Amino acid sequence: MTDTVIDNREVTVLLVDDNPQNLKVLYETLKDKGYRLLIANGGGKALELAHCHQPEVILLDIMMPEMDGYEVCRRLKTDPATADCAVVFLSALDDLSAKVRGFSLGGADYISKPFQSQEVIARVKTHARVIRLERELQARNRELQSDQSRILNAISEGIYGLDENGIIEFANPAAGQIMNAPVAELIGQCFFDLHFAAMGDSEDPLPVQATCRHGIAEAQRDIQMLRVDRSAFRAKYRSSPKQDADELHGAVVVFRDITEELANEQALEEARATVQDQRDQLAHTSRMTTMGEMAAGFAHEVNQPLTAITNYARVAKRLVGKAEPDLVLLQQTMDKVEAQSHRASEIIRRIRRFMKKPATGKEIVAIAALLEDTRQFAEVDMRNNEGGIELTLAPNLPDVLADPIQVQQVALNLIRNGLEATRSVDSAVPVEVSATLTAQGFVRIEVRDHGIGLQDDAEEKLFLPFYTTKSEGMGIGLTTCQSLIHAQGGEIGFERPIDGGTRFYFTLPVAVVARPEAD
């Protein structure tokens, strides 16, 4: 699906990601929005399609093998055919340095994974509109100046026409509104002195200078610009060279005040943080509920070693009370007391670790050890449900980057569901838990049961809140599992094996280990 195209009369959008699942999500998100969609699964293919079709917007994944998104963006911006494309980075990297690097290479925007459909739709619409406008303006400029002015005057973004020295030759009404000044007052002023007087002493080139003098397109977001009265506002701009028969005549600058937009983004981030806190609280509540359901089993598990300790202690007292105690037997008895103490301590350790709230952030996790720990943790249900758990791990499984408590919560939930489903049909076949490495750089964990299977409409309902097939269930288990796995950057779903039962699966991203630099 590397060349898939949907006909469209206006806007071309190029989707670039080495993960087929991500490409599918983007494709499904935008396919009915009136865009002509191009799809590339690597950097080389992306450059080829971009040069051929010159898309308005490129949704570009950063973390790709062979050629990452940063290098793809750099090459796009050095190619005159694609320099003005709006590059929107997609990445799970949510740190400031990653964003700054992307913007410094000419990126127009940044969307964090896992992305939201409405956010992708809104940003593509905005960037497509601006890029399409810029290209239309350049074409009209080569045809008739009067047509260009008529179009520019109807635009809501501020637009300047600059000569090669940065003198404002044209300003549309929107530019005057943003600047709180008549358009006539702007004409003839130096763009750099007007908007960036505070940066005059800097050794770095001023914004738009490279476009005016060398024909290099630029784009910056959240840059401070000045008005005529020297009040400041936060702006976004894009500059394109004005050329006629390959001769440079200055630049066209499209800009707008994004002060309110940035404030809305901050409010959105705060709302997302609140939602995440609520999700974490729900996950913790779900773990507490699980512990409540398993309490009787754990009490029995702890009571066994405690009873054994009591009995061995009585034996030890009798041995000590003898005139000539058997020291070898006494040593063996005390060793058994110690072993049973460790057994009880290990059960308590697992309970305490599972019930605590996870620390903020992810860590590198050995998935084999985590699943083995979960299997032992589930032994209580294994006995209560008269079933078994069979763990199969592919050799040399790499570590994953995830929250171990949340991953264990998901695995335990699926295993317990599998045990209950298998018992419901009076089957003694063990629940099969396996882990393998996928070609896309994910570890895939599967939990297979041999129960009655899922209903025909499970695809539509299974992960909805409060939907359950259990008479006493609340219907938040699988919904919570889905939220937790998406937070890890993975996917969760289910399959119907031909021979019956259900196979649930979830994926986790492989931890990227930094390679030591060569001497």
Side-chain angles (χ1 to χ4, degrees), residues 263-280:
N264 291 338
E265 288 181 1
Q266 182 177 354
L268 179 60
E269 288 300 320
E270 292 173 354
R272 285 175 177 167
T274 300
V275 170
Q276 187 58 51
D277 288 342
Q278 293 173 346
R279 287 175 177 171
D280 292 343

Side-chain angles (χ1 to χ4, degrees), residues 289-290 292-294 378 380-389 411-432 447-454 468-475 477-478 501-502 504:
T289 301
T290 300
E293 295 171 352
M294 301 173 71
V380 174
D381 269 19
M382 184 178 70
R383 296 189 184 98
N384 290 346
N385 287 281
E386 300 177 353
I389 304 171
L412 181 62
N413 186 293
L414 297 180
I415 291 173
R416 295 181 70 236
N417 286 348
L419 288 167
E420 293 179 13
T422 302
R423 185 187 62 173
S424 68
V425 295
D426 296 325
S427 173
V429 179
V431 170
E432 301 163 11
V447 178
R448 162 75 191 279
D449 67 60
H450 294 272
I452 195 172
L454 297 174
T468 180
T469 59
K470 301 177 183 179
S471 59
E472 299 179 356
M474 294 178 61
L478 289 177
T502 306
F504 278 90

Side-chain angles (χ1 to χ4, degrees), residues 298-320:
F298 278 121
H300 177 71
E301 288 291 301
V302 175
N303 189 56
Q304 283 185 329
L306 292 180
T307 301
I309 289 171
T310 301
N311 293 333
Y312 289 137
R314 290 170 179 168
V315 172
K317 287 176 65 177
R318 287 197 298 270
L319 291 173
V320 171

Side-chain angles (χ1 to χ4, degrees), residues 119-139:
E119 181 182 12
V120 172
I121 292 169
R123 298 202 183 203
V124 167
K125 179 180 179 181
T126 298
H127 292 297
R129 180 163 57 93
V130 173
I131 295 300
R132 188 171 70 245
L133 170 64
E134 290 181 5
R135 292 179 178 179
E136 183 178 3
L137 291 178
Q138 292 183 52

Side-chain angles (χ1 to χ4, degrees), residues 37 39 47 86 241 258 277 328 332 338 391 409-410 419 425 453 500:
L37 299 180
I39 296 178
L47 292 173
I258 62 170
D277 288 342
V328 174
Q332 293 174 347
E338 182 181 13
L391 181 60
Q409 180 176 353
V410 173
L419 288 167
V425 295

